Amino acid sequence: MQQSEQEQQKEQKITQNEIPDLIINPYEVVNNSKKQIDYDKLIQSFGCQRIEQNHLERIQALTQKPVHHYLRRGIFFSHRDLNQVLDAYEAGKGFYLYTGRGPSGDSMHVGHLMPFIFTKYLQEAFDVPVVIELSDDEKFFHKSETTLEEYQRYGYENAKDIIACGFDVNKTFIFLSSKYAGHMYHNICKFQHAITYSQLRGIFGLNESDNCGKVAYPAVQAAPSLSSSFRHIFGKDEVMCLVPQGIDQDPYFRMTRDVCYKLKVPKTGCIHSQFLPGLHGFGTKMGTTDPTSAIFLTDSPKEIEEKIKKHALSGGGMTKKEHQEKGADLTVDVPYHYLRFFLEDDARLEEIRVQYGKGVMMTSEVKKELITVLTKIITEHQQRRALVTDEMVQKFMELRPLSNYPPKKNN
Ligand code: TRP
């Protein structure tokens, strides 16, 4: 089950990717190429594994449910030790899911929801516990735009959006790292003990003038990967952990896994997603500095419509004639790409791919379809979020056992 020393070293050495026009790390995602990121190259460079058809079949067989369209379409495309996690599940030992978010005061956009939508699907499909870290400390150290207290407040607000994704309060534990860290400090110490400053510098690009919090924090993101960080859920059991995450977070978990090896505990499993690009095109990002770059969870139907109509980059022909002759360039087309993320109906998506690609369908029609799909998702999210009270947030954050651990026999 454990990797050989050689593989171990390989994993340690690969800290940065060497792909031109592409920077990916927890603090920076920059794609200067205008096209979809070459995720195959990224897998190679990071040393992770592609999710293959056999994984999908195995997940489907174990959960007795069709796999999520994020898996079917390769949006969650890469992993580390997924099979080991599934082995543990199959053997009746169960596993748990761990994910997180660095809270911010800016409104969240649709891209932020992806790891949570996916984690919620996994929680339902496997019926396993979920722990969610709100890393207010991380944002305080790295962004330093406001006080720690303010980042804590953002954490509670962001928790409402996360809860609105539909997590079951009896099966989910949400925590702010600045409040919960004491309970997992024994594991934080073990990580801090096992990692040198020069390793950290290699992975995260830190230097002498960075505040000490940036050096100390990676252990705080690593510690929730060990079940002994949650005694109120797992008691003394050693339970495997699977971390759904954007691939930019992988450096944290590469580091985590190296230390797991040293501590002789099972390595944390990872499952990585691609990025949702900004509306302006593949090389662009979503952010509050340019509100037209993204669909936010607070947008009204009118705003959604306008943004997509006016700002979503089209790969269609310049003129109707050209479009009908050449078809749309789907490798740069944002509306089509967004439909891959948000339109669940495989048959309809395929129809659009073919018809739009041939130039039979026009950009305006594709956009219209995207507007319908996104408006529904966002309005429903807003309705659920409006029902989340402060008391509910407190409930999710209470230290308590979760109803689906230990796992029931014969699952
Ligand atoms: N570092 C993540 C961010 O900046 C937040 C985070 C904390 C996280 N723990 C995590 C993300 C575990 C994925 C998995 O948003």
Side-chain angles (χ1 to χ4, degrees), residues 98-102 133 135 138-139 217 221 243-245 249 252-253:
Y98 159 42
T99 190
R101 162 167 173 83
E133 173 171 77
S135 51
E138 179 188 24
K139 291 293 134 167
Y217 172 74
Q221 183 153 334
V243 185
Q245 60 192 282
Q249 297 295 308
Y252 278 117
F253 294 99

Side-chain angles (χ1 to χ4, degrees), residues 292-310:
T292 67
S293 65
I295 306 293
F296 294 97
L297 302 183
T298 46
D299 282 350
S300 67
K302 185 132 193 53
E303 282 168 317
I304 297 174
E305 183 180 342
E306 272 190 23
K307 283 189 197 181
I308 294 175
K309 277 195 178 156
K310 284 202 198 135

